[in-house]
Amino acid sequence: MALYVQKYGGTSVGTVDRIQGVADKVKGFREAGHDIVVVVSAMSGETNRLIGMAKEMQSQPSPREMDVLVSTGEQVTIALLCMALEARGVSARSYTGGQVKIMTDDVHMKARIQDIEVDNMRTDLDKGRVVVVAGFQGIDPDGNITTLGRGGSDTTGVALAAALKADECQIYTDVDGVYTTDPRVVEGAQRMDKITFEEMLEMASLGSKVLQIRAVEFAGKYNVPLRVLHSFQEGPGTLITTEEDDTVEKPVISGIAFNRDEAKLTVLGVPDIPGVASRILGPISRANIEVDMILQNISADNSTDFTFTVHRNDFAVAEEILQQVKEELGAREVIGNNKIAKVSIVGVGMRSHAGVATKMFDTLAGDNINIQMISTSEIKVSVVIAEKYLELAVRGLHSAFDLDAADTVSE
Ligand code: ADP
Ligand code: ASP
Ligand code: MG
């Protein structure tokens, strides 16, 4: 008999009926003799609804109060699921993150888990109870409620699985596994039986929201067997694994990730002297804005252009900061564009193949899509393009790299 940590996402607990469905499923696992710890998200749309209400109160609510607010969504679903389980004769007990003692640092809205107390959970499991834990939240050393960033229930699941040394962490969601790209964008996307941690980490960090990046990091670090499955359909799902499969010929590209949440800023005509990058990006990082890609042109006349990308939510604040920096540096102009998207091809097979980037650029050129920025690493190539071409680019690349399922033809 095994110990499973099962995480059910927002859509899977999005209605009372679906919560009943999850309860039926968990009951089945109990009847098969397994020990189960369940992590649930808030009902789908709930976290966004709470954030929307907060914005009506104050334009920049304090992160501490945001966490008190948004953590409530998961408190609703843990209690409802326990009731549904008890109604089925399955003994169950719910815990908020703070009650379990999921200890985090004090960085509100993107806290990191530091420690988890397992004693209460073990006692419950020993008494034959299902333990139901609120995803996405913890408590800091001063007792403040913290949350783990959007999609953070995945990380709660993996962290609990690591702490309890579970046999598997199962992420149940509204797709039946990890696909070569988002199946909602490319009809011919294919489910993978396995994907390496390394590739999954890239996919997640480049925008594939099927798993939160920190969950993948955590699973890799603590060797947690991790699987993505459909909540209400049978199937093997996708196993995230450390082994690179040597038995089959590896595809050069495993998957395509994309991200619409980016914005681009450029300072034109900055003097080409030492320290400029730090004078531009210093104030940006002090405002807690994360920078993704950075590009600086060579200069012909002792002045240059400096471009970088940030999350779209940070665009307005970053632009304001740059106006100030422009004055200080005597730069010519600040321009910005928040209608961009990043498309990335990912695959460990790239290491041993030349010409992958060129094939990507040729494909985009064939569709008349202009590349605005490029960045590469050992197992990925990313480009920034106009957002309106995103779907076209992803579909074109998916078929150019032979990822389409055999029975679909993409135009
Ligand atoms: P949950 O609420 O269960 O956490 P999410 O919406 O966070 O679910 O993640 C599941 C979604 O991720 C899918 O509905 C799918 O549209 C999207 N997705 C993006 N990229 C991929 C991919 N490569 N494989 C599978 N799903 C993907
Ligand atoms: N409810 C949170 C969110 O919507 C956490 C999660 O679902 O994983 O981001
Ligand atoms: Mg999610």
Side-chain angles (χ1 to χ4, degrees):
M1 295 305 109
L3 166 60
Y4 294 129
V5 175
Q6 305 186 325
K7 178 259 172 176
Y8 293 88
T11 325
S12 314
V13 293
T15 63
V16 165
D17 280 350
R18 293 215 175 130
I19 295 176
Q20 311 255 24
V22 169
D24 287 333
K25 184 157 179 142
V26 172
K27 182 179 181 193
F29 277 95
R30 284 296 296 140
E31 284 172 350
H34 301 301
D35 284 336
I36 304 295
V37 173
V38 179
V39 173
V40 278
S41 288
M43 296 168 92
S44 59
E46 177 63 6
T47 310
N48 287 342
R49 189 183 74 88
L50 294 167
I51 294 171
M53 284 197 294
K55 295 233 163 97
E56 283 185 40
M57 297 299 145
Q58 207 180 359
S59 61
Q60 300 259 304
S62 97
R64 182 187 184 279
E65 301 314 325
M66 283 305 287
D67 279 352
V68 173
L69 179 71
V70 297
S71 60
T72 60
E74 275 72 10
Q75 194 168 335
V76 171
T77 45
I78 53 170
L80 291 176
L81 178 59
C82 279
M83 292 170 196
L85 285 166
E86 292 280 345
R88 284 160 178 74
V90 178
S91 178
R93 207 173 245 199
S94 70
Y95 294 95
T96 63
Q99 285 174 323
V100 173
K101 292 236 172 103
I102 297 182
M103 303 300 304
T104 71
D105 60 20
D106 61 2
V107 186
H108 286 288
M109 298 171 74
K110 42 182 162 187
R112 281 185 181 268
I113 296 177
Q114 294 181 325
D115 193 32
I116 296 181
E117 278 183 26
V118 294
D119 295 354
N120 284 341
M121 288 186 287
R122 285 249 179 255
T123 309
D124 281 331
L125 292 171
D126 289 346
K127 288 187 175 155
R129 292 179 184 139
V130 172
V131 176
V132 181
V133 180
F136 172 58
Q137 54 183 269
I139 192 169
D140 78 4
D142 293 327
N144 296 299
I145 296 173
T146 53
T147 63
L148 311 178
R150 297 307 304 268
S153 299
D154 297 336
T155 304
T156 306
V158 173
L160 287 178
L164 290 161
K165 301 191 172 52
D167 293 286
E168 192 166 271
C169 178
Q170 303 173 332
I171 305 288
Y172 287 98
T173 183
D174 57 1
V175 278
D176 64 350
V178 180
Y179 277 68
T180 46
T181 192
D182 190 337
R184 293 182 208 291
V185 171
V186 179
E187 209 191 316
Q190 300 186 70
R191 184 183 59 78
M192 294 179 254
D193 283 325
K194 286 181 181 179
I195 179 170
T196 64
F197 275 107
E198 216 183 348
E199 288 170 317
M200 193 64 236
L201 207 54
E202 287 285 7
M203 293 279 281
S205 78
L206 296 168
S208 300
K209 290 184 181 114
V210 60
L211 281 174
Q212 198 202 31
I213 178 167
R214 284 193 184 162
V216 187
E217 273 170 7
F218 222 100
K221 189 164 165 194
Y222 294 98
N223 248 321
V224 179
L226 179 62
R227 193 183 290 274
V228 176
L229 304 121
H230 196 289
S231 296
F232 303 116
Q233 290 168 14
E234 290 302 314
T238 299
L239 183 68
I240 325 298
T241 143
T242 42
E243 308 140 38
E244 284 182 26
D245 205 338
D246 292 330
T247 52
V248 285
E249 203 195 326
K250 269 193 288 291
V252 180
I253 296 303
S254 301
I256 298 174
F258 54 85
N259 188 356
R260 302 171 200 270
D261 300 335
E262 300 215 4
K264 186 176 82 161
L265 291 140
T266 302
V267 192
L268 292 169
V270 291
D272 192 18
I273 50 171
V276 163
S278 116
R279 283 172 67 188
I280 293 176
L281 295 180
I284 297 286
S285 83
R286 281 192 288 283
N288 262 325
I289 297 175
E290 273 176 42
V291 170
D292 181 16
M293 287 192 198
I294 303 171
L295 190 103
Q296 184 184 326
N297 288 345
I298 52 152
S299 64
D301 57 356
N302 293 330
S303 88
T304 182
D305 303 332
F306 192 94
T307 303
F308 60 93
T309 61
V310 295
H311 194 284
R312 213 173 267 188
N313 291 346
D314 293 325
F315 180 62
V317 179
E319 200 168 26
E320 230 170 83
I321 293 172
L322 288 187
Q323 290 299 346
Q324 182 77 34
V325 171
K326 180 191 96 173
E327 299 302 321
E328 287 166 20
L329 283 175
R332 195 167 72 243
E333 198 185 347
V334 174
I335 53 172
N337 181 353
N338 64 357
K339 299 268 182 307
I340 57 159
K342 184 168 73 174
V343 181
S344 311
I345 54 174
V346 175
V348 290
M350 222 185 267
R351 285 196 185 112
S352 48
H353 281 83
V356 176
T358 312
K359 183 166 178 179
M360 180 185 200
F361 306 151
D362 286 349
T363 307
L364 295 171
D367 281 327
N368 237 337
I369 299 171
N370 188 38
I371 300 172
Q372 303 178 12
M373 293 172 88
I374 300 170
S375 111
T376 63
S377 77
E378 214 190 351
I379 65 161
K380 71 120 205 276
V381 183
S382 299
V383 296
V384 167
I385 59 172
E387 188 189 6
K388 62 180 175 190
Y389 297 127
L390 177 65
E391 277 88 359
L392 180 65
V394 174
R395 290 191 189 121
L397 292 168
H398 198 267
S399 66
F401 284 99
D402 297 325
L403 296 173
D404 287 340
D407 55 350
T408 52
V409 190
S410 69
E411 305 110 58

